[in-house]
Amino acid sequence: MPSAEPRAMEPQVMEVRAIELIRQVRYGRLATTRRALPFLAVARHLVIDGRVVLRMHSGLGHHESCDGTVVAYGVDNFGAAAPGEGGEDSNALWSVQFTGPAEVVHPTEEQRTRFGAAPLQVSGEHFEPVYLRLDPHFVTMHTLDFHAKSTEPPHSVI
């Protein structure tokens, strides 16, 4: 009888698929700690040379807690559309997380342009960008499929 257990994706295949997925959305959540307390910060992302580069507001100081430490960055399509809306590809919701060391970087002009328009303000302050590069050491990906077919044959209780 076929197993109902999902097959684990090879790590390299999962990393490639995760990068494909995060290119579908522009923003995610950076998770780290400040004074031993966890917090999340919104960031805009790009994938550059296999690394995740984040743009965030420097005025809040979140980048100072991240520079030189291990962080997690999560991206999902949970707010994109209800399951089943928008075509066949929207049947599965997904979540991707990258974990690894981060450092403040200074992207080239061309790379900064690729981020697109920046917000004018963040919490009432003029937006001042700062950039972090995350070197993913661990990648996790989860999907919620609303139209999966069972691999077990139907059975009767009679």
Side-chain angles (χ1 to χ4, degrees):
M1 173 164 38
S3 170
E5 295 284 321
R7 288 184 294 197
M9 215 182 270
E10 293 292 324
Q12 290 176 325
V13 173
M14 183 174 8
E15 188 170 334
V16 169
R17 180 66 179 139
I19 288 172
E20 289 172 358
L21 289 172
I22 73 164
R23 287 184 169 140
Q24 295 178 19
V25 295
R26 299 176 350 155
Y27 287 87
R29 292 166 207 85
L30 176 69
T32 191
T33 60
R34 178 179 262 174
R35 295 183 204 99
L37 297 173
F39 75 89
L40 297 174
V42 174
R44 170 78 166 96
H45 62 264
L46 289 176
V47 177
I48 300 173
D49 297 328
R51 294 186 174 104
V52 180
V53 179
L54 308 175
R55 178 183 70 190
M56 54 195 313
H57 177 51
S58 65
L60 300 174
H62 297 327
H63 64 287
E64 295 165 354
S65 298
C66 301
D67 191 26
T69 66
V70 173
V71 301
Y73 184 66
V75 181
D76 61 59
N77 71 340
F78 295 164
E85 292 181 1
E88 193 173 316
D89 289 343
S90 67
N91 289 337
L93 297 176
W94 53 264
S95 173
V96 172
Q97 180 176 299
F98 298 90
T99 305
E103 65 180 321
V104 172
V105 294
H106 303 283
T108 66
E109 179 65 33
E110 184 272 331
Q111 291 169 338
R112 288 191 306 270
T113 301
R114 286 179 48 203
F115 275 97
L120 297 176
Q121 293 185 338
V122 174
S123 299
E125 294 182 13
H126 175 71
F127 180 79
E128 290 293 333
V130 65
Y131 300 88
L132 290 170
R133 181 177 59 218
L134 168 58
D135 184 12
H137 288 202
F138 301 102
V139 177
T140 56
M141 181 176 68
H142 301 285
T143 59
L144 302 170
D145 192 344
F146 290 87
H147 299 286
K149 297 199 184 327
S150 174
T151 58
E152 290 188 29
H155 63 280
S156 172
V157 293
I158 300 177

